[in-house]
Amino acid sequence: MTMIKLIASDMDGTLLDAHMSISSQNKEAIQLAEDMGIEFMVATGRNYQEARAALDEAAIDCAMITLNGAQVFDKSGKSLFTVPIPHSQVMTVLDILDANKIYYEVATNQGLFSESQAKRIESFASSIASHLPHLTYKMAIAMASANLELLHITYIDSIRDLLKDESLEVLKIICFHMEGAHILGPVGKEISDLGDLAVTSSGQNNLEVNHKNAQKGIAVAHVAHERGISLDEVMAIGDNFNDVSMLQTAGVSFAMGNAEIEVKDYAKYVTDINLESGVGKAILRAINENL
């Protein structure tokens, strides 16, 4: 039996609980895995600073796949590689979003940029509310505002003007709409049809646009290859559509109990929900059953 040697976990709706924190049960399981020589890493749609906040709070130091695989960092925080979207394609995507009056922000190699703080708070609140259904909208707004303080986000008048800088790499375009799939579905299809882009989602009311080679599964495979680890020895845990590529890639795959139903179809196993330390339970099961 091969034993797992690398665990890649999503963060929102997966590793993080209702307080956007890593539970002590999850932390202990990660520690146990590391003590056994199994490497733990996160694979998230978040950018580096957003992902670091929760990891620092739990004192977890690990390699990180960020922005769905568009940027990968080693344990010390050094950027290993980026997979940007060509500027001409970025412009076309922004044209489509503007035509449909959809709020967006761009994650770049120089940070996160938005044209509207009010829309940012509103969008982030509805995304928190979709992951944590027990929250009132007012609580979600309060949480979103608090989270924004941790976020290194720059508000600018024009993202298009920003793109005149050739050294800027756009790694991910994140779009939000309160009406969710009803509006975002057709727009996502239109963007997909441009070719060379991966259009996924990490919540009911968002779309995430990356280069087609910026996917969690490709990044996990890249990291495993660098470590000399076979994909059979990789375990992945996730809850949403931007996790599917890594659930398909890893030899051992767990969907969260709170995962989207279709996402569960791609995983070999299902664990508990994120509010009940499902990641920790999946890790312990993988170790105990030698999955």
Side-chain angles (χ1 to χ4, degrees):
M1 277 294 284
T2 51
M3 173 87 174
I4 53 168
K5 293 182 180 165
L6 175 67
I7 300 167
S9 171
D10 170 51
M11 293 186 74
D12 293 278
T14 301
L15 181 62
L16 304 182
D17 62 17
H19 309 288
M20 297 276 171
S21 297
I22 298 169
S23 70
S24 55
Q25 200 179 339
N26 282 347
K27 193 182 158 178
E28 283 159 21
I30 290 166
Q31 191 60 59
L32 174 71
E34 290 184 331
D35 291 346
M36 295 175 69
I38 302 166
E39 182 179 355
F40 176 83
M41 70 184 301
V42 293
T44 177
R46 292 178 172 219
N47 68 17
Y48 183 79
Q49 285 89 356
E50 278 180 286
R52 272 256 57 107
L55 293 167
D56 286 343
E57 187 191 13
I60 292 172
D61 259 333
C62 62
M64 295 159 68
I65 291 168
T66 65
L67 301 171
N68 292 337
Q71 190 161 29
V72 177
F73 294 88
D74 69 10
K75 207 168 174 169
S76 70
K78 184 169 133 263
S79 173
L80 299 179
F81 66 87
T82 57
V83 186
I85 306 169
H87 277 200
S88 59
Q89 267 203 310
V90 173
M91 290 297 199
T92 310
V93 172
L94 299 189
D95 287 342
I96 293 172
L97 297 174
D98 284 335
N100 289 277
K101 299 191 170 41
I102 289 169
Y103 166 74
Y104 54 82
E105 47 206 53
V106 296
T108 74
N109 59 338
Q110 294 169 31
L112 187 62
F113 294 90
S114 162
E115 294 174 348
S116 166
Q117 183 164 12
K119 286 215 172 82
R120 175 65 170 78
I121 291 179
E122 184 183 279
S123 304
F124 199 62
S126 65
S127 115
I128 289 175
S130 79
H131 280 297
L132 307 172
H134 63 282
L135 283 190
T136 64
Y137 190 66
K138 221 169 161 178
M139 283 161 69
I141 287 278
M143 256 179 105
S145 305
N147 264 290
L148 281 190
E149 314 219 327
L150 304 172
L151 262 195
H152 302 261
I153 185 162
T154 308
Y155 296 99
I156 53 173
D157 292 334
S158 167
I159 284 173
R160 290 160 196 277
D161 283 350
L162 185 75
L163 292 172
K164 291 174 183 160
D165 174 359
E166 290 297 314
S167 67
L168 187 92
E169 293 182 334
V170 174
L171 302 175
K172 184 172 90 158
I173 302 165
I174 313 111
C175 336
F176 295 94
H177 200 285
M178 299 305 237
E179 290 179 48
H182 167 62
I183 299 283
L184 294 175
V187 171
K189 186 178 181 326
E190 192 179 343
I191 294 171
S192 282
D193 290 346
L194 298 172
D196 286 343
L197 295 172
V199 181
T200 59
S201 152
S202 61
Q204 286 150 357
N205 54 9
N206 90 330
L207 273 187
E208 307 192 0
V209 182
N210 286 89
H211 187 279
K212 72 168 189 304
N213 293 334
Q215 294 189 57
K216 292 184 183 184
I218 295 173
V220 167
H222 181 96
V223 170
H225 181 73
E226 294 271 288
R227 307 274 197 276
I229 294 172
S230 86
L231 293 175
D232 290 341
E233 300 166 319
V234 176
M235 169 171 165
I237 317 167
D239 74 309
N240 225 306
F241 294 101
N242 61 341
D243 300 315
V244 167
S245 63
M246 79 175 171
L247 296 176
Q248 289 175 304
T249 299
V252 176
S253 53
F254 275 89
M256 299 300 291
N258 52 284
E260 296 286 338
I261 290 168
E262 299 91 334
V263 173
K264 289 180 179 172
D265 292 341
Y266 290 100
K268 289 195 176 123
Y269 308 98
V270 176
T271 183
D272 208 337
I273 61 174
N274 63 316
L275 306 182
E276 299 291 342
S277 303
V279 167
K281 290 174 181 171
I283 291 173
L284 294 181
R285 181 176 168 193
I287 289 171
N288 293 335
E289 297 181 19
N290 200 6
L291 298 179

